[in-house]
Amino acid sequence: MAETQIRFGILGCANIAHGVSRAMLLSPNTTISAIGSRSLEKAVAFASENHFPESTKVYGSYDDVLDDPHVDAVYVPLPTSLHLRWAVLAAEKKKHVLLEKPVALNVGELDKILAACDSNGVQFMDCTMWMHHPRTAKLKQLLSDEQRFGQLKSVHSAVTYLADDDFLKNDIRVNPNLDSLGALGDIGWYCIRAILWAHDYELPNTVTAFRNPEYHDSGVILSCGASLNWKTDGKVATFCCSFLSNLCMDIIALGTKGNFHVHDFVIPFNEKVGSFYAVDNSKWAERAVGCGPEPGVFKIATDMPQETLMIQEFGRLVAGIRSGEPKENKWPIISRKTQLVIDAVVASIKNDFVPVKVVY
Amino acid sequence: MAETQIRFGILGCANIAHGVSRAMLLSPNTTISAIGSRSLEKAVAFASENHFPESTKVYGSYDDVLDDPHVDAVYVPLPTSLHLRWAVLAAEKKKHVLLEKPVALNVGELDKILAACDSNGVQFMDCTMWMHHPRTAKLKQLLSDEQRFGQLKSVHSAVTYLADDDFLKNDIRVNPNLDSLGALGDIGWYCIRAILWAHDYELPNTVTAFRNPEYHDSGVILSCGASLNWKTDGKVATFCCSFLSNLCMDIIALGTKGNFHVHDFVIPFNEKVGSFYAVDNSKWAERAVGCGPEPGVFKIATDMPQETLMIQEFGRLVAGIRSGEPKENKWPIISRKTQLVIDAVVASIKNDFVPVKVVY
């Protein structure tokens, strides 16, 4: 099997890289061949703590990872401000790019990254792990079911968690020099992706931010939200993201004939089973004294965690390219659409919450 | 017991009156002593079909009900356009007024109704039945729990149902001469009330309607929504109401330390048990590869349906007034605040979706 395995290099020792590197080791078609950090000591500790293979090279710089000929693909969990530089460099070194979200500070930066991936023939994918859970595919089936869901009318998504004092003092996600998009980039990303996913990636016509975002002393957004409108059928979506509320990971999608609720779409409470609630063709009881049926609970099992499925998919695409298949353009397009909506939210907030048009 | 029972008169034979008249018979402190319809035949059928007591007088007009000295309180399930006339007349005849929602076409009309109730010393209450379910009291406790909920940050409510062809052709709720507020009045009312309830009836600073309401050919709103903002703490609420989506009856309230989801807050799927999902003090697993705990399911049993509890409460207030206690001012104030927000949504829609200030 070893010759078909895609060999990852990891840039940095971010917290998020624990789960993703575990996935690289769990996925049958990938392995980790290098990790680099500005601190060699940190990289050594990270490799040991996460049980990297003996053969993994541990470097004291990111450049060394990119220069390693035994690295096929690079995973970039660096702060967002560093994505442009390191993702472009990785592409130029002919490394396939798996980029943490938010992928860039704005779509202008992302376009440079995507252009570098394009001109160097490498695959690009962002790390929106929940998209790879089989529950997501099941929900997509439901969204497409004319009898059980009908036409999509409304989506609401909320992703929140309560940042503690240490986070609010020290985390990169409240540092305007590192992750200036704050909660919008970190978790609003998931909400916006969920909304676009439910709409088959049809971009909204306008995005209008809600009027009272909350800010860190540093100026970074701690909570915000927006409404999104499509031109046809009265379709509307809303989202809220916040570092200031207890954990919530909701998608609610309402169709003409059915609807579903997911309470943990970003990270399932149970790694092996993703649940959702769905109901269709609800009816009033006689004389309107009741209604039903009660929504059913659906449980979708998965042998592998969603992060592993994501890594496996990325490995499959890279292996395909190496054997002459074309790159998968779906992933860069979806990333770009997500970033466009992020940018529109920022623009609406900066312009007194006016509606901002979204154009691809 | 008979002498302490409050005697209801019912104006009209609306569909909603089936459940509410059942409640009048189930509640130990009330009974039905009269019903009136413009069609005597319809009133006779309604009384028989709903097993009204033999002693119930059946009239061929609303005026006869108001003139009946054996009627203490009047229940008004007439189309909204008729509320001003009949609620004011009822108050002038010294009948206590239980008024279906939406209570009026606008707050100007409502103020005339409330003034009539005030000057005639009669109790006013609207028919927002879910407020009387013990689940609602339990959720209120939770909202006030510093450890399990913390500070309220965000509320989302969606109430929708799919109107069939007959409804869209014939129902009073799509007739601009009868119920010109359409879905906003019929079910947006519940969403707005839920949002105000969660905020301890603190009015929002501004209300901004979403940009693409849907309309019936008659001009009546079939679907709409809005965001509501409070001045402090980044508090935000959103709602969607629609006659064009499958049944949904959501409240989601997010606090700093906990949150809850209700999937059937308007009419519980099970008349004897109201459920909700709640979680607090969620934590990330080590290395952020998971999170928990999973929200718990809470089930609140009730001996009596929520409509019966509503009627019992109204009967209790009326009996109190008859024995010299003051009127309960909470109910008219809550109705008025709900109506103010309804009016603000309408004003925002009419003015190109600008934010509209809400002042009591």
Side-chain angles (χ1 to χ4, degrees):
Chain A
M1 294 295 283
E3 50 269 68
T4 67
Q5 281 192 323
I6 300 305
R7 299 163 300 177
F8 269 103
I10 301 173
L11 301 192
C13 305
N15 200 35
I16 186 91
H18 289 290
V20 178
S21 61
R22 182 181 76 138
M24 290 167 187
L25 300 179
L26 285 174
S27 174
N29 64 344
T30 61
T31 188
I32 301 172
S33 69
I35 180 167
S37 167
R38 288 170 305 170
S39 151
L40 182 62
E41 202 182 351
K42 263 177 82 177
V44 168
F46 192 92
S48 147
E49 204 182 329
N50 290 285
H51 313 293
F52 283 12
E54 294 267 330
S55 59
T56 306
K57 274 152 287 177
V58 181
Y59 295 118
S61 84
Y62 308 143
D63 284 303
D64 290 342
V65 177
L66 300 189
D67 286 332
D68 187 330
H70 301 289
V71 167
D72 305 310
V74 164
Y75 167 56
V76 185
L78 298 169
T80 313
S81 295
L82 303 178
H83 284 191
L84 175 60
R85 175 174 174 195
W86 291 103
V88 167
L89 269 176
E92 287 171 355
K93 300 275 184 177
K94 311 292 182 196
K95 310 300 190 193
H96 302 275
V97 176
L98 180 66
L99 190 56
E100 265 301 339
K101 33 60 50 184
V103 288
L105 295 176
N106 54 59
V107 79
E109 285 195 2
L110 177 59
D111 282 345
K112 288 179 191 158
I113 294 170
L114 296 181
C117 290
D118 248 7
S119 60
N120 289 285
V122 297
Q123 181 67 45
F124 172 92
M125 193 165 92
D126 70 43
C127 281
T128 309
M129 65 291 193
W130 60 266
M131 296 200 64
H132 302 269
H133 196 291
R135 171 174 64 181
T136 307
K138 195 80 185 171
L139 289 167
K140 193 68 186 172
Q141 265 179 23
L142 185 52
L143 282 162
S144 312
D145 190 321
E146 185 49 49
Q147 295 313 311
R148 290 176 60 218
F149 194 83
Q151 189 190 345
L152 180 65
K153 299 298 280 187
S154 168
V155 182
H156 176 73
S157 179
V159 179
T160 66
Y161 60 87
L162 186 63
D164 60 18
D165 288 345
D166 179 55
F167 182 107
L168 291 176
K169 268 187 198 147
N170 303 316
D171 199 90
I172 60 164
R173 285 163 285 190
V174 294
N175 183 328
N177 299 320
L178 298 176
D179 264 310
S180 61
L181 294 170
L184 178 60
D186 187 40
I187 45 182
W189 176 274
Y190 293 129
C191 301
I192 291 167
R193 173 63 61 84
I195 289 168
L196 291 175
W197 162 81
H199 285 85
D200 278 335
Y201 304 106
E202 184 191 345
L203 281 171
N205 183 40
T206 61
V207 171
T208 312
F210 299 149
R211 298 185 74 75
N212 47 359
E214 289 178 280
Y215 298 97
H216 193 270
D217 290 340
S218 71
V220 162
I221 290 171
L222 296 178
S223 78
C224 70
S227 64
L228 291 73
N229 297 280
W230 284 258
K231 273 191 177 160
T232 49
D233 308 321
K235 279 193 292 190
V236 64
T238 49
F239 80 88
C240 289
C241 60
S242 175
F243 289 154
L244 303 174
S245 296
N246 187 64
L247 183 67
C248 172
M249 304 179 285
D250 278 351
I251 305 177
I252 300 164
L254 308 184
T256 49
K257 294 189 183 164
N259 59 56
F260 65 78
H261 291 68
V262 193
H263 290 179
D264 59 352
F265 83 96
V266 178
I267 300 175
F269 292 120
N270 178 338
E271 199 173 49
K272 292 177 190 291
V273 185
S275 302
F276 64 92
Y277 302 86
V279 69
D280 60 81
N281 293 289
S282 305
K283 298 274 177 251
W284 297 108
E286 218 186 330
R287 299 178 195 180
V289 292
C291 51
E294 190 154 1
V297 189
F298 296 81
K299 292 179 182 292
I300 311 301
T302 179
D303 291 340
M304 288 197 278
Q306 60 186 5
E307 292 78 9
T308 307
L309 294 166
M310 174 180 76
I311 291 296
Q312 188 178 33
E313 169 69 2
F314 188 72
R316 200 183 62 72
L317 294 175
V318 171
I321 292 165
R322 293 174 64 165
S323 63
E325 286 171 36
K327 289 190 294 160
E328 174 57 85
N329 283 323
K330 177 177 89 170
W331 295 113
I333 291 171
I334 292 174
S335 295
R336 188 168 192 271
K337 288 185 171 181
T338 311
Q339 186 75 47
L340 279 169
V341 175
I342 295 252
D343 288 8
V345 176
V346 171
S348 179
I349 289 173
K350 286 193 177 157
N351 291 286
D352 198 29
F353 312 100
V354 295
V356 171
K357 281 212 177 272
V358 183
V359 181
Y360 192 78
Chain B
M1 295 296 284
E3 50 267 69
T4 66
Q5 282 193 321
I6 300 305
R7 300 163 300 177
F8 270 102
I10 300 172
L11 301 191
C13 304
N15 200 36
I16 187 91
H18 289 290
V20 178
S21 62
R22 183 182 76 139
M24 291 167 186
L25 301 179
L26 285 174
S27 174
N29 64 342
T30 61
T31 188
I32 300 170
S33 70
I35 180 167
S37 166
R38 289 171 305 170
S39 151
L40 182 61
E41 203 180 350
K42 264 177 82 175
V44 168
F46 192 93
S48 148
E49 204 182 330
N50 289 286
H51 312 293
F52 284 12
E54 294 269 328
S55 58
T56 306
K57 274 152 286 172
V58 181
Y59 295 118
S61 84
Y62 308 142
D63 285 302
D64 290 342
V65 176
L66 300 189
D67 286 331
D68 187 329
H70 302 289
V71 166
D72 305 309
V74 165
Y75 167 55
V76 186
L78 297 169
T80 313
S81 294
L82 303 177
H83 284 192
L84 175 59
R85 175 175 175 193
W86 292 103
V88 167
L89 269 176
E92 287 170 356
K93 300 279 184 174
K94 311 291 181 196
K95 310 301 188 194
H96 303 275
V97 176
L98 181 65
L99 190 56
E100 265 302 338
K101 34 60 50 182
V103 289
L105 296 177
N106 53 60
V107 78
E109 284 195 7
L110 177 59
D111 282 345
K112 288 179 190 158
I113 294 170
L114 296 181
C117 289
D118 249 7
S119 59
N120 289 285
V122 297
Q123 180 68 44
F124 172 92
M125 193 164 92
D126 70 43
C127 280
T128 309
M129 66 290 192
W130 61 265
M131 297 200 63
H132 303 269
H133 195 291
R135 170 174 64 182
T136 308
K138 195 79 185 173
L139 289 168
K140 193 68 187 171
Q141 264 180 25
L142 185 53
L143 283 162
S144 311
D145 189 321
E146 186 48 50
Q147 295 313 311
R148 289 178 60 218
F149 193 83
Q151 188 189 344
L152 180 65
K153 300 297 281 186
S154 168
V155 182
H156 176 72
S157 180
V159 179
T160 67
Y161 60 87
L162 186 63
D164 61 17
D165 288 345
D166 179 54
F167 182 107
L168 291 176
K169 269 187 196 146
N170 303 314
D171 199 272
I172 59 165
R173 283 164 284 190
V174 294
N175 183 329
N177 300 317
L178 297 177
D179 263 312
S180 61
L181 294 170
L184 177 62
D186 186 39
I187 47 183
W189 176 275
Y190 293 129
C191 300
I192 291 167
R193 174 63 60 87
I195 289 168
L196 291 174
W197 162 82
H199 284 86
D200 278 335
Y201 304 105
E202 183 191 345
L203 280 171
N205 183 41
T206 62
V207 171
T208 312
F210 298 149
R211 299 186 72 74
N212 47 358
E214 289 179 279
Y215 298 98
H216 193 270
D217 290 340
S218 71
V220 162
I221 290 171
L222 295 178
S223 79
C224 70
S227 64
L228 291 73
N229 298 280
W230 284 258
K231 272 191 180 160
T232 49
D233 307 322
K235 279 192 293 190
V236 64
T238 49
F239 80 88
C240 289
C241 61
S242 175
F243 288 155
L244 303 175
S245 296
N246 187 65
L247 183 68
C248 172
M249 304 179 287
D250 278 352
I251 305 177
I252 300 164
L254 307 185
T256 49
K257 293 188 183 165
N259 59 56
F260 65 78
H261 292 69
V262 193
H263 290 180
D264 59 352
F265 83 96
V266 177
I267 300 175
F269 292 119
N270 179 337
E271 199 173 51
K272 292 178 191 289
V273 185
S275 303
F276 64 91
Y277 301 86
V279 70
D280 60 82
N281 294 288
S282 305
K283 297 275 178 250
W284 296 109
E286 216 185 330
R287 302 180 193 177
V289 293
C291 52
E294 190 155 2
V297 188
F298 296 82
K299 293 179 180 291
I300 311 301
T302 178
D303 291 340
M304 288 198 279
Q306 59 186 5
E307 293 78 9
T308 306
L309 293 166
M310 172 179 77
I311 291 296
Q312 188 179 33
E313 168 68 2
F314 188 74
R316 199 184 61 74
L317 294 175
V318 171
I321 292 165
R322 294 174 64 167
S323 64
E325 287 170 34
K327 289 190 294 162
E328 174 57 85
N329 282 324
K330 177 177 89 168
W331 296 113
I333 290 171
I334 293 174
S335 295
R336 189 169 190 273
K337 289 185 171 180
T338 311
Q339 187 75 47
L340 280 168
V341 175
I342 295 254
D343 288 9
V345 176
V346 171
S348 180
I349 290 174
K350 284 190 177 160
N351 291 287
D352 199 28
F353 311 101
V354 295
V356 171
K357 282 213 178 273
V358 183
V359 181
Y360 192 77

